[in-house]
Structure formats: structure tokens, C-alpha cells
Amino acid sequence: MDNLEIIGQNAKEASYALAKLSADDKNKVLKKAAKALVENKDKIIKANEEDLAKAKENGIKGALLDRLTLNEKRIKSIAEGLEQIAQLEDPIGEVISMWKRPNGITIGKKRVPIGVIGIIYEARPNVTVDVFGLCLKSGNASILRGGKEAINSNIALVEILQDVLKECEVPKEAIQLIKDTNRETAVKLMKLNKYLDLLIPRGGAGLIQAVIQNSTVPVIETGVGNCHIYVDESGDINKAVAITLNAKTSRPGVCNAAESLLVHKDIADKFLPKMYEKFKEMNVEVRGDERVKEIIPEVINATDDDWSTEYLDYIIAVKVVDSVDEAISHINTYGTKHSEAIVTENYSNAQKFLDEVDAAAVYVNASTRFTDGFEFGFGAEIGISTQKLHARGPMGLKELTSTKYVIYGDGQIRE
Amino acid sequence: MDNLEIIGQNAKEASYALAKLSADDKNKVLKKAAKALVENKDKIIKANEEDLAKAKENGIKGALLDRLTLNEKRIKSIAEGLEQIAQLEDPIGEVISMWKRPNGITIGKKRVPIGVIGIIYEARPNVTVDVFGLCLKSGNASILRGGKEAINSNIALVEILQDVLKECEVPKEAIQLIKDTNRETAVKLMKLNKYLDLLIPRGGAGLIQAVIQNSTVPVIETGVGNCHIYVDESGDINKAVAITLNAKTSRPGVCNAAESLLVHKDIADKFLPKMYEKFKEMNVEVRGDERVKEIIPEVINATDDDWSTEYLDYIIAVKVVDSVDEAISHINTYGTKHSEAIVTENYSNAQKFLDEVDAAAVYVNASTRFTDGFEFGFGAEIGISTQKLHARGPMGLKELTSTKYVIYGDGQIRE
């Protein structure tokens, strides 16, 4: 039975040590860890095989089983991920601003680690190493609670990482794995306010909601994306077709994929038939409202539920709207504030859409699929925040930091 | 009975209108509101007298009764607060950074309002107007749930403010007051995730903890301050006495007041007697550990509880420590991560203290009493965050904003 009180306390102590490490120290750990993972691939694969055997017994298959699987190639790629994090700039210590007050005190706002970060995630062992790398580089200790299906793989990975930490004289509690994968322990973690500064759920909508409902620790909500493409009256039809197709079909299972298409009534006649041809080629099921059906009678009837569904599949809901205002209002009603795009050549409508759509990332004439830490140039990503506090959109290393005011005086007292 | 679903929905709609207002529009509302409050002072005072009469019946007195009281002078000062907010720079619309990616998309990170902010507070009607001003200027709609003792004052104030909003053609739901002051309604507000983007509790430790424990809406924890002054071996004794006295006695009831004094063993003999003289003059009760008692035998024995108590009174806990490391470790163990100060002339110890103390504001040779939005030069303050997410330390207008990525493309799709 894990003792969360002790895990929390050890994490907090480790976090103070991590906060003091230089970028060189941290990069050394990351590079050694990358090497150690590859060197210990047999140990990892053996543990993973135990997980896979049990998963198959329990009827797990398809994408879930694939995500659980580690092999030599994947271990190498995970190790390369750590090497890449070592190349990124260390966000810690940056003085964001500094100013002098009339009384002579100088106030600096400095970037510091958050402290202890908890991650609750599903049966994806690659996340274990990924989180280790991002948290270590940003000076944070991490407490991981992964899916029970991956427990043996996670234990093996964390053992290897902790050995590297010890070798580098960094507290091994910089990363800790919760081995009890029952629900009660997860709920205890969600209430570990005394030691945890932040909890990030990574996984499906069910997991994320469970964390939001139960956690008293601050949570960053990630992931759910009911994203729209709106094709404006003035939109370039070729761009509109290419962007919509890319947003829907380049990887339908991810959160920045499009789920709904809104089309201005005055371009629907010309645009929809062309778009529909492409959808048919890619086997995308189209669910349209009455006005879509007038143009393409063979589409399935969309119901009200379709506007709020994140299919994560080759399905798209399509609606004809009267104006950019109706499109914005529809998006702000049904969207999940993730990524939204307009295809337009009209300056005012582009600005209006950028200003009034309430989402983490709003695009003009580009695919929603770019909402990603790597595509944004952050070099890493721990998730995509769909809430408005602390971080919004792709979260890289900077988003894993907090700030501290440092004040230099020479004896000042307040009147 | 308030219908929180409708209040939430109206707030969300109002927030979209507020996000579009220019600084000029918002300042016009603020200035008119300031005028309206003064013009309607009789209405406010009459409502406040009802609250005061009931409060006295219920045995409320002293500081609590004083904070509940509105009179002509205070109404004028509250109105001036709105005028001051009108003078501040509008944080909304600032493009914090903007860059071009190799594929040609341009990504901008833009400051936007948070949306709908809930505030749960105690019987201080001035907070009602203060929150209105700060939220309006930062483009946010607010839902207020104030203490039941101030309900008539709050109703009168919000009526006046809503009349001004209507007159300025801004949705009056930019500010809404919850009139049911029972606990059930407060708990419902804490779970209004569909409409509320942020909840800020303003008040004592009990109120704040109740919000943290019950809220599923993101919360910013504010206010509790168990602040320390550490007098280092090399500290200037005159500065140390002045800073400690200021931090303890200039306003003992506020969160940035000092509660504990740590003294290096090699300066204790010289410093403590001088300090004790001043404490006696100001009637500060001193609770010391064994080593303090060796120097000043008449002080009260400090118990373990004293190290974690926020007295908010003329009491101070004093401890002799062996080193700056022991001081830092004590502060990180017992402190509330609010404001901490070292008095030293030693460069390395100053740097060490700034680096290793885990608090929102860390001072060298200055009083902790400066942790305040006005003293920091923000021109306003909605509270002092003692957590690490989103905002840490004094929160001004900028801390009431979120960001949004706006992306300009010309047809880009993701490979």
C-alpha cells in the first residue's frame, strides 16, 4: 500500500533540490536517462510483455493495446524525446520583468518551478518518461499515477530513471510512481493539497472529468476538442477543401481534429459538393442539417447531439449558417474552447472571428491540427489546456513554471 | 430563490459583450458609476443601516461591524477607487508575443478576459464595488456572493451599478449579486463549471478552505500569511529592528504582517534585547524558544503551534537559529508561501534566501508589508495569491486576464 503522505513529503523535499539544479545538471540527467533506457531495453520489454499478456487476457485490443506496447524502436524514440528536452532552453531563473519603486525597492518577477506536479494518465507508458523529462527540465518533482494495465512497464521505467537520478546525485524522488492503481489511491492523490501544487490529467474525457470533480488540488483541464471549421462566404474554396480535409482526416483520433463544419449559405452550393467528393474518397461519414441535405440529399440527418460530439473518428457534422455571427455563436455554444478556424478572404470577418471566438487557438486560413507544442515551436508538450487559468493552449516547459517576486531593499519600511 | 443556471448563462453572455468593449467604453462606465454612487449615497446608507441594525441585534461588533459600515466618507472613497481603476491601462488586447513558423503561419499570443469570475466574500460591502471595477476594466463578468450581514447594502450597490450599465448600453449582467446567502447556494456556485471560469474567495482562512474543498471551478487561493523576518548574522541591527517592528506592528491584522522572527545565534545577544525594548513599547507579546529565553528570560514559552500560527495580532513568535539554512528550512516548513524577508549584509546569504525560500514575495532588507498591488505599482489589487498557478503574489488587472493564440495562415495544412 502506497503511503501518499510519505510520497508527498519526499516529492516536496526533492522539489527543493531540483529547484537549485543548473541547466547543465538537468541536461546531464536527461542524457544519461536516454542512454539508460536504451541500455535497459530488455528489462523494459520484459515488463511490458507481462502487461501485454494480462491486457490480452482482459480483452484489450486495437488502439489501446497498441498504445500500451513498447518495443525496441519505441524505446529508442522515447529516449530521443529526452535528448530533445535536453536541447531546449531552461525556463527557470528568467527574470521576466524588473522595476524600481519610488521608495527605492527593486522588484523582480522571476520564473521558478511550480514544485510538485501530479499526473494521472492512462495505459501509455511513453507518458511516464515524457512527464519525467518535462518536469525535471522545468525543475519540478513529479508523482505519477498511470493506468493499471501499464503498471509493470511503468515500474521498470521508473526504476531505471531513479537509478540514473541516484547516479547523478539528484534525489530519486524527483520522480515517483504510485503503485496502487486502485481508484481510492487516485482520489487520495487528488486531495494531497499539502504537497501537490498542480495535478494534470492526461487522457479521455471521462478521466479528465473525474479529476475535475474530485480534486481539491489545482487542476489544469486538458484535451477535449470539439473543433470547427467555418467556411465564410468569401472563403477560397480550394483552401477551404484542403483545410477541412486536413483538419478532419489527417489524424481523426486527436483533440485538434475538426468535428464540425459550418458553411455560409452563399458559398454552400459551390463548396459543399466539392467537399463532399473528398469526404467520400476518405470514407468520412457526413451528418448534415436540413440545408445541407437540400444540396446533398444523401447525407445523414444531423441531430442536436451531433453539434456537441467529439467523434474522434471519420465522421463530421455539417451545418449551413446565415452569417459569421451565427457561426461564432454556434462555436461559442457547442465548442470546447480548444481550436477553431475560419476560411475567409474578408478582412473584417477574419478579425471578428479572431476576436469573438472563445477558444485557446483561433485560426484564419489554416488547419486546427497545428495546435500542438511542437508545431507552435515550443519543442515539447505536456498537454493542451482548454481552461483559462495559468496556461491556455499547448503547454511546453514555460507552462510548467510559476513566478516569484524577489525584492531588493536597503532598509525600507511601509509608512 | 436565485437560479444559478440563469445567472451563469446571463453572465457568460454579458462576458462576450464585455470582451468587445474598448478601454474608452469601460472607463466611461467606471466614471459614471463613481458619480452614481456618490449621488445615491442616501439610498446606500439607508440600506446599510438596515444591515447594521440586524448585525448589532446578532451581537456583531468591533472590527467586523466597522468593516460592514458605510458612511458618506467611505462611499466617496469607494467611488474614488473606481475613478482610479479608470486611470489604469487596459490590459486587454495586448499581444504578448508574436512569431512566424517555418511553414508560414504567424502565431500571436494575445491577452483576453478570463470570462466569468465568481467572488465569495465576507461582510465588506466595499469589496462589491471594488470587484465590479476590477472585473469590468479587465473585461470580465462577475458573480458576487457576499456575506449575509451585508446583503441590503450589496443589493443597493449592485442596483446602482446595474443602472449605470444599462444607461451605458452595457449588459447589466456584467455584475450580478446572488441574493440567497445560504450555504447551499454558495456550494452550487462553486460547482458552476459550465459558466464560471474562475472563483476567488476573499476572506479568512475558514472561508478560503471551504471554497478549496468544495469547488470544482478553478480557484485562486488567497490571503493567509504566516510571514517571517530572518535576521542574519551579518544583518544591520538598526535595519533589522525597524523592519521587524514595521512588519509586525504597522497593521497586525493583515496578511503581509510578520508573525515570526528568526534570529541567527551569533547576532541574537546584541539584537534581541534592542528588539524586545521596541516590542514592549508597542505592547507586542513575545513567545520565544529556549534560546530566546536565555537572552530574555521574561518572554513566554513558544510551543510548536506558535510556528504555524497567523496571529493577526500584537503577538510574535521568536526563534534562534544556527544558520541561514535552518531559517530557510523553518520558513519552508511552517510558512504559507506569502511574504518572507531576510535582513543581511552578506551577499551569498541574500542570494540563497531569495533562491531557496518558497514564497510569493521574498525580500532582502525590506518589510514584508510591501506585498500589495498598490505598493508593487499595479494600481489595484483583487487579492494576494498564495498558490503557484496562474498568479502568485498581488493580483492586479493583468492577473484577471487569460491569453488566446491567434493564428494567421494562408491555407496551411499539417503534413
Side-chain angles (χ1 to χ4, degrees), chain A residues 12 16 19-20 99 101 103 105 107 109-110 112-116 191 193 197-198 212-221 239 242-244 246 250-251 256 325 332-333 337 351-367 369-372 374-378 387-394 399 401-415, chain B residues 12 16 19-20 99 101 103 105 107 109-110 112-116 191 193 197-198 212-221 239 242-244 246 250-251 256 325 332-333 337 351-367 369-372 374-378 387-394 399 401-415:
Chain A
K12 184 57 85 183
Y16 291 135
K20 289 195 256 182
W99 65 98
R101 294 290 300 154
N103 61 4
I105 59 173
I107 302 175
K109 188 175 187 175
K110 196 174 170 179
V112 297
I114 288 176
V116 180
K191 300 191 185 299
N193 295 55
D197 295 294
L198 165 64
I212 290 171
Q213 292 305 317
N214 289 293
S215 182
T216 50
V217 172
V219 170
I220 292 186
E221 192 173 342
K239 286 180 191 167
I243 287 169
T244 306
N246 181 262
S250 61
R251 216 175 148 198
N256 57 22
D325 290 298
N332 285 344
T333 304
K337 307 194 191 316
Q351 292 300 333
K352 190 182 186 65
F353 194 86
L354 288 173
D355 282 348
E356 297 182 16
V357 167
D358 186 17
V362 189
Y363 294 82
V364 179
N365 295 340
S367 169
R369 291 275 294 109
F370 289 113
T371 304
D372 174 285
F374 296 92
E375 292 294 330
F376 271 31
F378 301 163
Q387 62 167 42
K388 295 192 187 169
L389 284 207
H390 186 73
R392 198 174 186 202
E399 284 69 28
T401 67
S402 181
T403 57
K404 170 201 258 186
Y405 288 108
V406 291
I407 299 106
Y408 301 84
D410 54 8
Q412 283 84 352
I413 58 172
R414 186 162 168 190
E415 301 295 312
Chain B
K12 184 57 87 183
Y16 291 134
K20 289 195 256 181
W99 65 97
R101 295 289 300 153
N103 62 3
I105 59 173
I107 302 175
K109 187 175 188 177
K110 196 173 169 179
V112 298
I114 288 176
V116 180
K191 300 192 186 295
N193 294 54
D197 295 293
L198 166 63
I212 290 171
Q213 293 305 318
N214 289 293
S215 183
T216 52
V217 171
V219 170
I220 293 186
E221 192 173 340
K239 284 180 191 166
I243 287 170
T244 307
N246 182 262
S250 62
R251 216 175 147 196
N256 57 20
D325 289 296
N332 285 345
T333 304
K337 307 192 191 317
Q351 291 300 330
K352 192 183 186 63
F353 194 87
L354 288 173
D355 282 348
E356 297 182 16
V357 167
D358 187 17
V362 189
Y363 293 82
V364 178
N365 295 340
S367 168
R369 291 275 293 111
F370 288 114
T371 305
D372 173 285
F374 296 92
E375 292 295 328
F376 272 31
F378 301 163
Q387 63 167 43
K388 294 192 187 170
L389 284 204
H390 187 74
R392 199 173 187 204
E399 284 70 27
T401 67
S402 180
T403 57
K404 170 201 258 186
Y405 288 108
V406 291
I407 299 106
Y408 301 84
D410 55 7
Q412 282 84 351
I413 59 172
R414 186 164 168 188
E415 299 297 310

Side-chain angles (χ1 to χ4, degrees), chain B residues 54-222:
Chain B
K54 202 170 282 177
K56 283 175 199 161
E57 267 176 46
N58 293 325
I60 293 174
K61 51 193 170 180
L64 286 178
L65 196 70
D66 182 58
R67 285 171 170 185
L68 178 58
T69 305
L70 293 176
N71 53 37
E72 192 170 342
K73 195 181 152 201
R74 288 189 178 177
I75 293 168
K76 222 179 136 195
S77 146
I78 290 169
E80 279 166 8
L82 292 181
E83 294 270 8
Q84 279 166 22
I85 294 171
Q87 303 306 318
L88 298 176
E89 205 182 331
D90 184 349
I92 300 304
E94 180 196 355
V95 177
I96 299 162
S97 55
M98 199 156 192
W99 65 97
K100 197 159 185 166
R101 295 289 300 153
N103 62 3
I105 59 173
T106 296
I107 302 175
K109 187 175 188 177
K110 196 173 169 179
R111 208 177 276 290
V112 298
I114 288 176
V116 180
I117 300 179
I119 313 268
I120 298 187
Y121 56 111
E122 292 169 346
R124 301 181 66 171
N126 62 311
V127 171
T128 309
V129 180
D130 208 25
V131 164
F132 164 77
L134 292 168
C135 286
L136 183 97
K137 183 74 184 241
S138 52
N140 296 293
S142 51
I143 301 178
L144 309 185
R145 198 282 196 184
K148 64 176 185 298
E149 300 82 2
I151 186 68
N152 292 299
S153 314
N154 286 339
I155 288 173
L157 290 167
V158 170
E159 273 176 10
I160 295 164
L161 297 171
Q162 288 191 330
D163 282 345
V164 171
L165 289 163
K166 277 188 276 185
E167 197 191 323
C168 297
E169 292 174 13
V170 174
K172 72 178 200 309
E173 291 83 6
I175 179 171
Q176 292 179 91
L177 177 73
I178 294 179
K179 298 193 184 84
D180 287 339
T181 54
N182 56 40
R183 198 182 136 75
E184 292 67 41
T185 313
V187 171
K188 270 190 206 160
L189 180 66
M190 296 179 206
K191 300 192 186 295
L192 203 64
N193 294 54
K194 194 171 166 195
Y195 302 112
L196 261 192
D197 295 293
L198 166 63
L199 193 54
I200 304 178
R202 277 186 63 162
L207 170 73
I208 292 166
Q209 276 309 312
V211 172
I212 290 171
Q213 293 305 318
N214 289 293
S215 183
T216 52
V217 171
V219 170
I220 293 186
E221 192 173 340
T222 60

